[in-house]
């Protein structure tokens, strides 16, 4: 049953990150998105759509925009392009 636990933890981290972003708490938001992405890449949560990783990376990239550290967003933005291509959703 670890997959359900991991999926719930991932959803909880994403929700907490979204709440922190609303308050412009970029440090907390970035930490939470990073934790969620680490969990996502360190476990195999069956049935998790690629869109989830895209959303997490988009959120973390937005943190860098909010902080004005645009260059730091580049790895997430590049991963988002790759994910969009995999989803056949690239422009």
């Amino acid at each position: 049953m670890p997959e359900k636990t991991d999926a719930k933890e991932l959803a909880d981290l994403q929700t907490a990150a979204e709440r922190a972003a609303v308050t412009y708490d970029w440090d907390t938001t970035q930490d939470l998105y990073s934790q969620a992405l680490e969990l996502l890449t360190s476990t195999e949560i069956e049935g998790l759509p690629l869109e989830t990783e895209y959303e997490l990376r988009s959120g973390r990239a937005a943190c860098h925009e909010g902080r004005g550290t645009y260059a730091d967003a580049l790895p997430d933005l590049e991963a988002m392009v790759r994910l969009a291509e995999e989803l056949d959703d690239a422009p």
Side-chain angles (χ1 to χ4, degrees):
M1 210 166 235
E3 289 178 3
K4 286 187 179 179
T5 302
D6 291 341
K8 180 175 178 350
E9 184 179 353
L10 183 65
D12 290 346
L13 285 167
Q14 186 172 7
T15 298
E18 290 166 355
R19 286 185 181 148
V22 170
T23 66
Y24 306 104
D25 183 352
W26 301 125
D27 291 335
T28 300
T29 303
Q30 182 177 345
D31 288 344
L32 291 165
Y33 277 124
S34 294
Q35 288 175 42
L37 283 161
E38 185 177 324
L39 177 64
L40 180 69
T41 57
S42 69
T43 61
E44 291 189 23
I45 303 170
E46 193 170 317
L48 193 67
L50 290 176
E51 289 90 353
T52 301
E53 181 180 353
Y54 187 96
E55 291 170 5
L56 294 172
R57 291 191 177 280
S58 176
R60 191 166 67 178
C63 290
H64 292 297
E65 180 182 349
R67 300 167 104 177
T69 55
Y70 301 103
D72 292 337
L74 191 57
D76 285 322
L77 296 172
E78 289 172 341
M80 289 168 63
V81 169
R82 177 188 49 81
L83 289 165
E85 289 170 346
E86 286 182 42
L87 292 164
D88 201 26
D89 195 29

